[in-house]
Amino acid sequence: MISALTDLNRVYLSASLAALPLLALWSLRRRSQRLAMANVPSKTVVIVGAAWAGINVAHGLLKQVPNVKVVLINPSEEFYFNIASPRIIARPNAFTREKYMYSIPDLFDKYPSEVKAGFEFVIGEATAIDVKGKTVSVTEGAETSRDIAYDYLVISSGSTSKATLGGDSLKVPFKASKDSNTDSDIKNSQDAIQAAKSVIIGGAGAVGVEFAAELAEERPDVKVTLVTPTDRVLPTLKDGPRAKAAKVLKSKGIEIVTKEAVESARFDAAANNWTVTLTTGQILTADVYVTAAGAVPNNEFIPSALLDEDGWVDVDRHFRASRIPLSANIYAVGDITSHPQRIASRMPTLTGTVVSNLKADILGKGSRATFDAAKQGVLLAVPLGKSDGTGQMGWIVLPGFVLAFFKGKDYMTGIGKKLVYG
């Protein structure tokens, strides 16, 4: 027995001695990595806008670029999961608030202290960019303002919708309300729509179709009219899914007016209804009018030298601002750009490209990434209520039951936080 124990001790001793060089090598490697990280010049990346694009870029930089300082600027401390907005507005009891409003600081709490030390979240509104001086002016609160210096700037301020702005439509927050309270706008639009007996929706893209289907399913007593200047709904899809969408909408009692655009819409306070004039001169009236068409760039603070004729930031295949010298170190990504692929489902790829290029810029090594929009197929998933849907991925038509399962059942609110948690 003693002999066996002695032999076992010898084995343990031999294994320990053999492991010592490996431990020494591992220790040297770790020390080398720490020194390399310490030698990386500290750079500040300022990101304006904390929606889909901005949050994803911030996560990517914190994970992949050592010793980086990330400053994320946004008017609100909350992220609005607006993918679910058609159901949020049409069905007031569908979700609790925490299902679609997320604390932005909480999305970054997972990082270790040494990484979080390089992250700053600024609740404020960007008011100007000094391209030569490389600063962003930010207003925090009513009177406080400051200039934040950057080495690299990422503009991800996004866009808003005409319905979110209101005026020529009931104010419906299909996107976050920058100049007002999103919670109040949601409640007010829900109340107005719940009280209505007739609703006209202008625009038959994804938002218009989804909202019409949700409303008709929730309120079968409401007369819903969908107006589109195209010959059928969902104009970016193939004929099959377009025809299916029209068929399902009509089965829910929705009237579809095709080849007609809304020329003007006006609320009559005395009559307490909306008058909608179409391009042919036809006049429709309803208790509520909602526009589901038209995006407006959030570009008030962006120098005109960066913008195209329609107010979007022009970018190249690397997502660098293409109308100014590359030495300005300005990138743009998401809804604020002129890029044709701006939908939320593309954001991981788009923002991944930006992060890769910033990493190459900061570290001074690595290949630059590109994103070729011409090689990307159609990607659109449109729920048609809770149990059906239509859509397209490339040339593949997505079955209704698949869309109902993955998106229609809860508009992805069940995984919403995971999508922006990084």
Side-chain angles (χ1 to χ4, degrees):
M1 181 68 178
I2 294 174
S3 176
L5 290 172
T6 302
D7 291 341
L8 186 60
N9 286 333
R10 286 173 180 168
V11 170
Y12 284 147
L13 180 61
S14 298
S16 299
L17 291 173
L20 285 175
L22 295 175
L23 289 171
L25 182 62
W26 178 82
S27 177
L28 287 172
R29 185 178 178 184
R30 290 283 293 173
R31 183 171 181 270
S32 176
Q33 288 175 339
R34 286 195 296 269
L35 288 172
M37 288 177 65
N39 290 329
V40 173
S42 177
K43 298 293 183 182
T44 297
V45 181
V46 171
I47 305 169
V48 180
W52 291 97
I55 286 174
N56 273 280
V57 170
H59 279 308
L61 290 171
L62 293 172
K63 288 178 179 179
Q64 299 182 40
V65 184
N67 207 26
V68 69
K69 169 73 174 179
V70 176
V71 181
L72 182 61
I73 303 168
N74 199 63
S76 168
E77 64 179 345
E78 291 186 303
F79 171 84
Y80 177 36
F81 190 73
N82 67 304
I83 285 178
S85 61
R87 182 166 293 173
I88 292 168
I89 306 302
R91 304 180 192 254
N93 299 316
F95 306 117
T96 55
R97 187 181 186 275
E98 59 268 21
K99 286 290 187 179
Y100 58 83
M101 295 293 280
Y102 314 145
S103 164
I104 294 172
D106 287 353
L107 300 176
F108 294 90
D109 271 350
K110 65 177 181 178
Y111 293 102
S113 57
E114 62 269 21
V115 175
K116 284 198 289 187
F119 175 72
E120 181 183 1
F121 179 56
V122 177
I123 303 173
E125 184 175 352
T127 56
I129 297 172
D130 181 347
V131 175
K132 290 184 179 180
K134 291 189 176 180
T135 62
V136 177
S137 299
V138 181
T139 298
E140 301 173 80
E143 299 178 356
T144 305
S145 63
R146 62 168 164 148
D147 293 336
I148 300 176
Y150 64 83
D151 295 295
Y152 298 90
L153 174 65
V154 180
I155 303 172
S156 57
S157 52
S159 68
T160 189
S161 68
K162 291 183 177 180
T164 302
L165 295 173
D168 295 334
S169 161
L170 177 71
K171 193 170 188 178
V172 177
F174 290 128
K175 293 200 172 189
S177 304
K178 182 171 69 74
D179 297 323
S180 57
N181 185 289
T182 300
D183 283 319
S184 296
D185 288 346
I186 288 173
K187 181 65 165 59
N188 292 339
S189 61
Q190 287 174 335
D191 290 347
I193 289 166
Q194 288 299 303
K197 295 297 183 183
S198 57
V199 176
I200 297 172
I201 302 169
V207 172
V209 167
E210 291 178 7
F211 181 57
E214 292 295 318
L215 181 56
E217 198 167 277
E218 174 75 3
R219 296 277 313 281
D221 59 313
V222 175
K223 180 185 178 183
V224 180
T225 304
L226 187 62
V227 180
T228 175
T230 58
D231 61 338
R232 272 188 287 182
V233 301
L234 302 175
T236 61
L237 299 184
K238 293 167 63 175
D239 287 345
R242 294 178 70 192
K244 179 187 177 178
K247 182 179 179 180
V248 173
L249 293 175
K250 289 176 181 177
S251 73
K252 296 179 183 295
I254 297 168
E255 180 184 357
I256 303 174
V257 179
T258 60
K259 299 181 181 180
E260 290 270 21
V262 174
E263 187 172 85
S264 65
R266 181 179 59 86
F267 180 69
D268 186 335
N272 196 33
N273 65 12
W274 286 82
T275 298
V276 177
T277 304
L278 306 184
T279 48
T280 58
Q282 182 182 357
I283 295 176
L284 306 176
T285 60
D287 295 330
V288 165
Y289 169 69
V290 176
T291 179
V296 180
N298 293 327
N299 63 3
E300 298 88 349
F301 66 98
I302 302 173
S304 59
L306 278 69
L307 305 175
D308 67 12
E309 293 72 17
D310 296 317
W312 309 99
V313 179
D314 249 344
V315 292
D316 61 17
R317 293 192 305 156
H318 305 285
F319 292 99
R320 293 177 297 197
S322 59
R323 296 201 172 199
I324 57 174
L326 299 181
S327 58
N329 292 345
I330 296 179
Y331 288 81
V333 65
D335 274 3
I336 190 57
T337 72
S338 58
H339 202 277
Q341 296 281 345
R342 305 185 299 188
I343 56 177
S345 58
R346 296 287 193 201
M347 280 306 123
T349 305
L350 302 182
T351 56
T353 302
V354 174
V355 171
S356 294
N357 291 330
L358 283 168
K359 183 179 179 180
D361 288 344
I362 294 170
L363 301 183
K365 60 182 179 180
S367 59
R368 298 190 62 78
T370 61
F371 184 90
D372 192 345
K375 295 181 180 179
Q376 305 300 314
V378 174
L379 180 59
L380 192 63
V382 183
L384 300 169
K386 290 185 176 180
S387 59
D388 208 345
T390 189
Q392 189 177 327
M393 184 170 62
W395 290 101
I396 301 173
V397 175
L398 300 173
F401 73 90
V402 172
L403 289 165
F405 178 78
F406 284 105
K407 189 175 180 183
K409 65 176 181 179
D410 67 354
Y411 264 83
M412 302 176 73
T413 55
I415 61 170
K417 286 187 179 180
K418 294 180 182 178
L419 296 177
V420 289
Y421 193 68

